[in-house]
Amino acid sequence: MNYSLENYNPNDIAEENGNFLGLPFDYESAKLIIFSVPWEVTVSYHQGTAQGPERIAEASLQIDLFDFDHPEGWKQGIFVERHTQEMLEKNEYYRGQAKSIIEHLAKGLKISDSQDLQNILSSVNHACQQINQGLFTECQKALNLGKKVAVIGGDHSVPLGYFQALATKYNNFGILHIDAHADLRNAYEEFEFSHASIMFNAMKIPQISKLIQVGLRDICHDEVEMINQSNGRIIAYYDPLIKQQLYSGKTWLNLCQEIISHLPDKVYISFDVDGLDPKLCPNTGTPVPGGLELEQVYCLFREVVNSGREIIGFDVCEVGDAEWDGNVGARIVYKLANFLDLSQK
C-alpha cells in the first residue's frame, strides 16, 4: 500500500489494497483506527453478522469520498485493523457451543441440570471475556498513541472492551445508542457477554454517566424497569412514541435537539443497524418492523456536532452477511468517521 497522499486522487477508482475505502493509510499514518471484530457467538436469532465486517470492507470500495457534511473528511486518515482467521475460527467453534445452550433453554430445560452444559457455558463466557480483553488492549494502545478508535462487529456484544478502554481515558462520557433493543438484559440466555446484555454491562462502568437510547421497540419488562429506576442515567426514546410525536406535528430536528440535550460533552455513538427500518439492513441479526430512516439518524448525529459536543468513538454492529447490508453499513461507518473528525475541529 502506498501511504503517501502525494499521488493519491480521491476521484479515482478505489484500489483493492485491503483498507476501508481503498484509502492510502496504514496504522501509523491514520488518525482513526477501526477494529474489525467478527464475533457473534451469543446471537439468538439470525446468524451472519460475523461476516458483516467483511461485507462492509468490500462495499466500501464502491463509495465516493465526497461527503456533504465533511468533504475532506477522508484526509483524517482511516485504517481498518483487519481481523485474523483465528478469530473467525474461534467464533465458529464457540457459536456451535453456544447454540447447544440456546437449544436446551428453548425446550424449557435448565443448564444446572447438566454438568456438560455448565462446562460449555463457562467456556463460552470465557471465550467472550478473552475477546473483550483483547479489544481493550488494542484500543487502549491506539488511544495512548493519540488515535481515535472505532469498532465494527459482529453482534452488539463486541464493543464492551472498547467502552472499558475509553473509561481509562475519560472520566465522564455518554453513549448515544441507536437500536431496536435496549440490550439491558442481565446475562441473556445465561451468557454473561450476550449481545442482549451489552448496555447492562456498560452500566457497570461508572465513567459512563448517560445512556441515551433511540429507536427502541422490542423490549422486556425488566429493561423498562431498569430504565425507569435509573434516576435519569438511562433515557429511552421509544420508536412508537417518537412516531406519535412526529405525527402530532413535532419536528424531527427539535426532537433531535431534545435528545442531545441529555448528553455530556463527550459522546460515544453505539449503532446497532436494527435500529433502522429493516428495509435498510434486512439481514441483521434481530430485525424488527418500524425504526428510523438513515437520514434521520444522520440528522441526529449532525446535531451532536452542531451542539459543540465531541464524538470520542463509535461502533457499528449487527450488519448482516449480504451485499446490500454491507453497502449500507459501509456508508454508516464512513459518515460516522466524518462526524467524529468534524466534532473535533
Side-chain angles (χ1 to χ4, degrees):
M1 189 187 300
N2 175 19
Y3 305 125
S4 171
L5 293 181
E6 186 177 340
N7 298 315
Y8 179 75
N9 183 351
N11 303 294
D12 281 345
I13 296 171
E15 180 183 343
E16 294 184 14
N17 57 15
N19 195 20
F20 184 66
L21 302 166
L23 290 174
F25 300 99
D26 60 1
Y27 187 99
E28 183 177 344
S29 60
K31 176 182 176 182
L32 174 63
I33 307 299
I34 302 176
F35 290 102
S36 169
V37 187
W39 193 257
E40 61 170 0
V41 165
T42 66
V43 68
S44 51
Y45 193 34
H46 289 162
Q47 289 183 242
T49 62
Q51 303 304 318
E54 197 60 34
R55 298 294 85 79
I56 287 172
E58 292 168 355
S60 74
L61 300 179
Q62 300 302 317
I63 297 176
D64 284 319
L65 296 182
F66 184 93
D67 179 80
F68 285 94
D69 289 287
H70 194 12
E72 304 300 312
W74 65 271
K75 290 183 178 179
Q76 67 183 286
I78 304 170
F79 177 74
V80 173
E81 186 70 51
R82 303 295 284 269
H83 54 264
T84 63
Q85 182 62 31
E86 180 185 9
M87 184 180 289
L88 281 170
E89 292 170 358
K90 281 187 174 181
N91 171 76
E92 193 67 23
Y93 172 77
Y94 285 106
R95 172 60 194 152
Q97 296 285 290
K99 193 173 181 180
S100 65
I101 298 282
I102 295 169
E103 290 174 348
H104 195 81
L105 292 171
K107 296 174 182 177
L109 303 174
K110 297 180 179 178
I111 304 303
S112 58
D113 295 338
S114 167
Q115 186 59 53
D116 286 344
L117 288 175
Q118 290 180 54
N119 292 339
I120 290 172
L121 179 62
S122 178
S123 70
V124 169
N125 283 336
H126 179 66
C128 292
Q129 174 60 50
Q130 286 184 313
I131 291 294
N132 293 337
Q133 183 58 49
L135 184 62
F136 170 85
T137 300
E138 290 301 318
C139 290
Q140 189 175 54
K141 172 187 172 185
L143 291 170
N144 287 341
L145 290 171
K147 298 181 182 296
K148 296 299 180 183
V149 171
V151 172
I152 50 175
D155 71 34
H156 208 176
S157 68
V158 300
L160 183 60
Y162 182 25
F163 295 169
Q164 294 165 339
L166 285 170
T168 67
K169 181 176 176 64
Y170 303 101
N171 60 17
N172 177 20
F173 66 97
I175 296 178
L176 178 57
H177 175 206
I178 308 299
D179 208 320
H181 311 90
D183 293 345
L184 290 169
R185 291 176 178 265
N186 182 3
Y188 183 60
E189 294 178 326
E190 302 201 30
F191 300 117
E192 182 180 358
F193 304 107
S194 168
H195 68 102
S197 303
I198 179 65
M199 294 306 165
F200 181 89
N201 291 326
M203 292 295 89
K204 297 177 184 178
I205 302 172
Q207 291 88 344
I208 299 175
S209 59
K210 285 281 187 177
L211 171 61
I212 311 301
Q213 304 185 289
V214 183
L216 307 187
R217 56 194 186 277
D218 195 8
I219 190 167
C220 75
H221 289 79
D222 283 347
E223 291 174 305
V224 173
E225 185 177 1
M226 183 174 178
I227 292 167
N228 291 342
Q229 295 184 355
S230 71
N231 294 318
R233 188 180 179 207
I234 308 172
I235 298 175
Y237 282 83
Y238 301 107
D239 190 59
L241 301 183
I242 288 174
K243 299 289 172 49
Q244 192 65 29
Q245 289 188 65
L246 296 179
Y247 300 153
S248 300
K250 188 164 187 174
T251 70
W252 175 243
L253 184 62
N254 285 342
L255 190 52
C256 288
Q257 291 165 349
E258 178 190 318
I259 292 168
I260 290 160
S261 70
H262 301 295
L263 288 164
D265 290 339
K266 308 291 184 183
V267 178
Y268 177 95
I269 293 174
S270 190
F271 198 148
D272 183 329
V273 297
D274 70 32
L276 298 168
D277 185 309
K279 70 190 176 193
L280 292 165
C281 284
N283 298 286
T284 187
T286 315
V288 183
L292 301 165
E293 294 294 339
L294 194 53
E295 285 299 334
Q296 283 184 296
V297 181
Y298 289 168
C299 178
L300 177 62
F301 297 161
R302 190 174 294 117
E303 288 307 302
V304 173
V305 177
N306 290 341
S307 74
R309 289 169 172 80
E310 180 186 357
I311 300 171
I312 59 173
F314 67 87
D315 65 75
V316 177
C317 295
E318 303 280 356
V319 172
D321 183 16
E323 187 278 334
W324 173 247
D325 298 63
N327 184 320
V328 174
R331 294 172 189 280
I332 293 169
V333 171
Y334 186 43
K335 178 62 81 170
L336 276 169
N338 286 331
F339 278 138
L340 182 151
D341 188 57
L342 199 58
S343 76
Q344 297 168 32
K345 296 296 185 184

